[in-house]
Amino acid sequence: MRRYLKQVQLGFFALAALVTAAAGVVILSPELPGRSAAPTQPQPARDAAPEAKPAAEAAPASPPLAVKPVTTQPVALEPSPPPESDLESAWADKLRETPDYRGFFDRMRASFPAEWTQALRDAAADDGLRKPEGVDLLMSLAVQAARVKSGLVAARAGAPALDRLFASQLAVARQLAAGDSALCLDFLNGAAAQSLTQFAASHRPLMANQALAGLEAIDDGGRAAIQRQPPTQADFDLLEKALRAKGLSADAIALLLDGKAPATPIPDDQACRNGVAYLETLANLDEPARMRLYALAVQLMARD
């Protein structure tokens, strides 16, 4: 059974993925009365455990499933020198073969020049940019760089930008659910974008739309700067009722909303379908509740 309980983010984002980072399972209300997060499945040991933080600085509980379109706190980075001419030439050659990515790459270079330069260098390592999927790797790395730099800003975007972001994540999740439940869960859990490189190579228009939606949400959030109230208990009750109406079991809903792992693990294919149903349900909520939940999801992802 693949571990689908990974991080603190709302699955609904994903582009997160590539916009890697939107998803199916998240603890949206870790501190709301009546929705306290339950213990999740144990995580695998890591080579070096990070130093424990004082209780006052402890991070919020993490939701189980998540898609990362845009995530994390804005960080001031030193500008990188311009890429070498041979890298630009190799990239230009690949772009002529994959025009679907042009809109994303143009926006990335304009909005995040330092991050673009580093992504280009990383993709070119070991001659990776010259491989058939090199342009897909570059797109994935560029998306990750944008998330790290300014992902949190997307929580302040207007409704059209957030709706498009989540719709693009749902489209990717549906495509993955139809053919690869394991990769679908990786996507919903916010796995490294590189794991989606081969999928992206065969679904370039889909992935380009998702990646561009992430950048547009960041840009829109910077302009709109909307300060939304957190979701209410009524918002969560409405979401839970809608999930039950969609046929999800009590265990599935507890996992999606509270991070409570069931006694019997949910198979990957069903967990993937639950994640898709979760995104569909969020998208059909009335706008005020939907925007509050979307914004919360982005904020949780940004704190991870």
Side-chain angles (χ1 to χ4, degrees), residues 153-215:
V153 179
R156 301 179 181 180
L162 285 181
D163 279 338
R164 186 189 169 199
L165 175 59
F166 281 84
S168 70
Q169 299 307 314
L170 175 57
V172 174
R174 282 172 170 164
Q175 188 67 49
L176 287 166
D180 191 333
S181 60
L183 188 57
C184 172
L185 285 179
D186 282 346
F187 176 74
L188 294 174
N189 282 321
Q194 292 91 322
S195 68
L196 291 167
T197 297
Q198 290 186 338
F199 174 81
S202 58
H203 297 82
R204 282 170 176 158
L206 180 71
M207 301 306 286
N209 181 66
Q210 176 193 339
L212 186 55
L215 294 187

Side-chain angles (χ1 to χ4, degrees), residues 194-287:
Q194 292 91 322
S195 68
L196 291 167
T197 297
Q198 290 186 338
F199 174 81
S202 58
H203 297 82
R204 282 170 176 158
L206 180 71
M207 301 306 286
N209 181 66
Q210 176 193 339
L212 186 55
L215 294 187
E216 290 177 345
I218 292 173
D219 285 347
D220 192 79
R223 292 190 302 270
I226 297 172
Q227 298 288 344
R228 295 184 174 90
Q229 294 297 313
T232 65
Q233 184 63 53
D235 293 336
F236 289 105
D237 291 344
L238 182 65
L239 175 57
E240 182 173 355
K241 180 179 179 181
L243 289 170
R244 286 200 304 270
K246 209 166 180 66
L248 271 69
S249 67
D251 282 347
I253 293 172
L255 177 58
L256 287 165
L257 298 188
D258 300 319
K260 181 179 179 181
T264 301
I266 300 175
D268 284 0
D269 56 349
Q270 183 60 58
C272 179
R273 289 194 296 271
N274 290 346
V276 171
Y278 179 63
L279 288 174
E280 292 172 343
T281 302
L282 281 171
N284 288 323
L285 295 179
D286 290 340
E287 183 175 305

Side-chain angles (χ1 to χ4, degrees), residues 29-270:
S29 54
E31 298 180 359
L32 280 180
R35 295 220 70 89
S36 58
T40 62
Q41 295 180 6
Q43 299 294 315
R46 299 185 180 181
D47 294 339
E51 182 179 352
K53 296 183 180 180
E57 300 178 5
S62 299
L65 220 69
V67 177
K68 300 174 148 186
V70 286
T71 67
T72 69
Q73 204 89 5
V75 176
L77 299 178
E78 291 295 328
S80 299
E84 293 80 354
S85 58
D86 58 336
L87 290 185
E88 285 283 2
S89 176
W91 167 74
D93 289 342
K94 298 302 293 184
L95 186 59
R96 281 192 288 273
E97 302 170 11
T98 55
D100 291 319
Y101 289 155
R102 180 174 295 279
F104 168 76
F105 285 141
D106 287 347
R107 179 69 70 89
M108 181 71 194
R109 295 181 81 191
S111 300
F112 302 96
E115 290 72 23
W116 161 257
T117 296
Q118 190 58 54
L120 187 58
R121 288 179 177 150
D122 290 344
D126 298 325
D127 210 28
L129 195 58
R130 299 186 184 278
K131 296 177 181 178
E133 69 278 9
V135 69
D136 306 290
L137 175 61
L138 174 58
M139 192 265 298
S140 300
L141 293 172
V143 166
Q144 288 181 320
R147 291 187 205 137
V148 170
K149 176 71 180 295
S150 301
L152 186 65
V153 179
R156 301 179 181 180
L162 285 181
D163 279 338
R164 186 189 169 199
L165 175 59
F166 281 84
S168 70
Q169 299 307 314
L170 175 57
V172 174
R174 282 172 170 164
Q175 188 67 49
L176 287 166
D180 191 333
S181 60
L183 188 57
C184 172
L185 285 179
D186 282 346
F187 176 74
L188 294 174
N189 282 321
Q194 292 91 322
S195 68
L196 291 167
T197 297
Q198 290 186 338
F199 174 81
S202 58
H203 297 82
R204 282 170 176 158
L206 180 71
M207 301 306 286
N209 181 66
Q210 176 193 339
L212 186 55
L215 294 187
E216 290 177 345
I218 292 173
D219 285 347
D220 192 79
R223 292 190 302 270
I226 297 172
Q227 298 288 344
R228 295 184 174 90
Q229 294 297 313
T232 65
Q233 184 63 53
D235 293 336
F236 289 105
D237 291 344
L238 182 65
L239 175 57
E240 182 173 355
K241 180 179 179 181
L243 289 170
R244 286 200 304 270
K246 209 166 180 66
L248 271 69
S249 67
D251 282 347
I253 293 172
L255 177 58
L256 287 165
L257 298 188
D258 300 319
K260 181 179 179 181
T264 301
I266 300 175
D268 284 0
D269 56 349
Q270 183 60 58

